Structure formats: C-alpha cells, structure tokens
C-alpha cells in the first residue's frame, strides 16, 4: 500500500471527511483491520483565506508547496490538495513534488464522464465558480460547465465560508442550495458537481433531481485506487 499525503485544513471540517473516507475505502477493499497509510499537513485556514481575499495566490501557493514538500519528506507516495479552490495553485504545488499530485478536478471529471453526463452545473466558492482554473480543467475533459447566476453564486459562497467551514449545517441553507440546483437543471445541467469539499456536509443525492458528484468522496476514492494499485498498473 502506498502512503497518501494530504494537504488539509482548508477547512478541517472536510479534511476530517477525507480521513474517514480514505480509511473506510481501504477497509472495504482489504477487509479486517486494514486502514489507509497517510500523512496529513493541516494549515491554518484563517491565513489561507486572507491570502485568497487579498488575491495573494502565489504566497498561498508557497504555503501549500511547503506543505507538499513536508508530506513527501514524511513518506507520501502521492499527494492530494484537500480543497477545490486551492487547486488554483496546483501547478505550484506539483512543481514542488517529485511524487504525483492527484488533481481533484481530474478525478471528478472522470466520474462525471463515466456517468454519461456532459453538461454539468458547478457549485463551489466564488473563486472556483468564477475563475478559469477549475472550469477550464473540467472543460479539458469534454464537459460543458454551467455556474449559478450572480445571486446564486453569492449564496453558495457565503454558506461555505460562514457556515460549513465552521461546522454549521442549516436547513434553510440546504433549501437555498436546492433552489440554486433547480436553476442549473432548468438551464440544462444533467448533473451537479459539489465543487467545494464542504458542500457534502449539506447536500447529498437525496437533495437533487439530477446526479450529484461529491468531490471529496470522488477524490478519496481515486486516492485509494492509486494507493492500492499494483506496480504494473501504474501509468
């Protein structure tokens, strides 16, 4: 079993989900008392969030690159950035590594395509929904990506930072997200990417009329696949 390196803490609420899903995935595959070999570097999210707000992405990338070097030095054979938004600096992190970076958007796009969906709605932080780094990565896999209107994006972003990252789950916010999802479906979305690792704390398949693609779970499943792959299966 390979060792999975996790760059987490953004927020720790979803990093805890990563840890649970990785261990459950390995146990399901191997049985018994097996659990995932992993190392976690958890940053102070308040520092990262301030850099996001200030547009200091290169500095934020430097923090994550240092974390990546740390988990590799601790024995990681592959690395995950446990947040969608900070994949904006994925290239900077990848350049700091000599082991593979498992890109969250690639794992998600593969699942979307496998489900036969090509036109998909994207929920996430304002950075993820409005900037090109994530949408273009998905488009590179042949997906047509829709995002909510201005009001919808504001609601989705606010709930992430003011509630979900603090562990607060409110029925009113779930209803608001469902309204946003219905709007995307009305515009032709055949599925919806939960493109922030905290959204899965609020929204599941039962809350959507079309398939949802939970990025935390999909990323963790891809990591388990990679960690348990036989050497001959690589590449």
């Amino acid at each position: 079993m390979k060792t999975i390196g996790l760059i987490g803490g953004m927020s720790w609420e979803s990093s805890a989900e990563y840890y649970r899903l990785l261990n459950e995935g390995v146990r399901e595959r191997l049985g018994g008392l097996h659990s995932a070999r992993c190392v976690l570097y958890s940053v102070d999210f308040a520092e990262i969030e301030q850099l996001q707000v200030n547009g200091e992405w290169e500095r934020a990338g430097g923090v994550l690159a240092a974390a990546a070097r740390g988990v590799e030095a601790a024995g990681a054979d592959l690395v995950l950035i446990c947040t969608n938004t900070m994949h904006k600096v994925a290239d900077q992190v990848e350049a700091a590594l000599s082991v593979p970076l498992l890109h969250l958007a690639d794992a998600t796009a593969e699942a979307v395509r496998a489900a036969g969906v090509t036109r998909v709605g994207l929920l996430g932080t304002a950075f993820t929904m409005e900037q090109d780094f994530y949408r273009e990565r998905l488009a590179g896999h042949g997906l047509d990506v829709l995002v909510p209107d201005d009001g919808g994006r504001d609601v989705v972003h606010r709930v992430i930072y003011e509630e979900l990252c603090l562990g607060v789950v409110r029925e009113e916010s779930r209803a608001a997200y469902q309204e946003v999802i219905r709007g995307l479906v009305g515009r032709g979305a055949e599925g919806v990417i939960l493109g922030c690792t905290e959204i899965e704390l609020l929204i599941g398949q039962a809350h959507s009329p079309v398939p949802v693609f939970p990025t935390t779970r999909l990323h963790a499943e891809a990591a388990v696949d990679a960690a348990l792959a036989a050497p001959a299966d690589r590449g």
Side-chain angles (χ1 to χ4, degrees), residues 6-7 25 31 38 50-51 66 68 81 86 89 121 124 142 144 170 198 219:
L6 305 171
I7 304 174
C38 54
Q50 193 60 57
L51 294 173
I81 303 172
M86 293 310 295
V89 298
D144 181 14
R170 300 174 65 241
E198 282 80 25
H219 205 196

Side-chain angles (χ1 to χ4, degrees), residues 40-136:
L40 167 66
Y41 190 115
S42 190
V43 304
D44 180 357
F45 189 34
E47 296 175 0
I48 297 296
E49 189 269 344
Q50 193 60 57
L51 294 173
Q52 291 174 343
V53 170
N54 294 341
E56 297 182 77
W57 294 101
E58 188 170 352
R59 282 187 60 193
V63 174
L64 268 58
R69 287 190 291 269
V71 295
E72 182 175 356
D77 299 303
L78 65 149
V79 174
L80 280 60
I81 303 172
C82 300
T83 158
N84 287 270
T85 298
M86 293 310 295
H87 277 73
K88 181 175 174 68
V89 298
D91 289 347
Q92 195 173 345
V93 174
E94 191 169 30
L97 292 167
S98 60
V99 297
L101 176 71
L102 188 61
H103 199 291
L104 192 157
D106 292 343
T108 299
E110 288 172 12
V112 174
R113 293 300 303 269
V117 171
T118 56
R119 195 169 205 206
V120 66
L122 173 63
L123 304 181
T125 67
F127 310 110
T128 299
M129 293 186 288
E130 295 174 0
Q131 298 183 21
D132 292 337
F133 69 94
Y134 198 87
R135 291 184 289 112
E136 287 189 354

Side-chain angles (χ1 to χ4, degrees), residues 4 9 30 36 58 83 85 97 105 110-111 114 133 138 157-158 165 171 183 191 195 197 225 229 235:
I4 302 167
L30 300 182
E58 188 170 352
T83 158
T85 298
L97 292 167
E110 288 172 12
F133 69 94
L138 295 172
H157 181 88
R158 180 190 60 76
C165 286
E171 285 298 328
T197 52
D225 287 343

Side-chain angles (χ1 to χ4, degrees), residues 140-200:
H141 288 269
L143 300 180
D144 181 14
V145 182
L146 304 176
V147 298
D149 60 20
D150 289 351
R153 294 198 304 273
D154 287 346
V155 167
V156 172
H157 181 88
R158 180 190 60 76
V159 169
I160 290 168
Y161 279 91
E162 296 182 11
E163 298 176 18
L164 300 180
C165 286
L166 299 173
V168 176
V169 177
R170 300 174 65 241
E171 285 298 328
E172 297 91 335
S173 298
R174 180 174 289 122
Y177 267 52
Q178 289 179 282
E179 183 176 351
V180 172
I181 290 171
R182 285 192 292 269
L184 291 168
V185 172
R187 290 165 52 201
E190 304 160 338
V192 176
I193 292 173
L194 307 183
C196 173
T197 52
E198 282 80 25
I199 293 178
E200 285 149 77

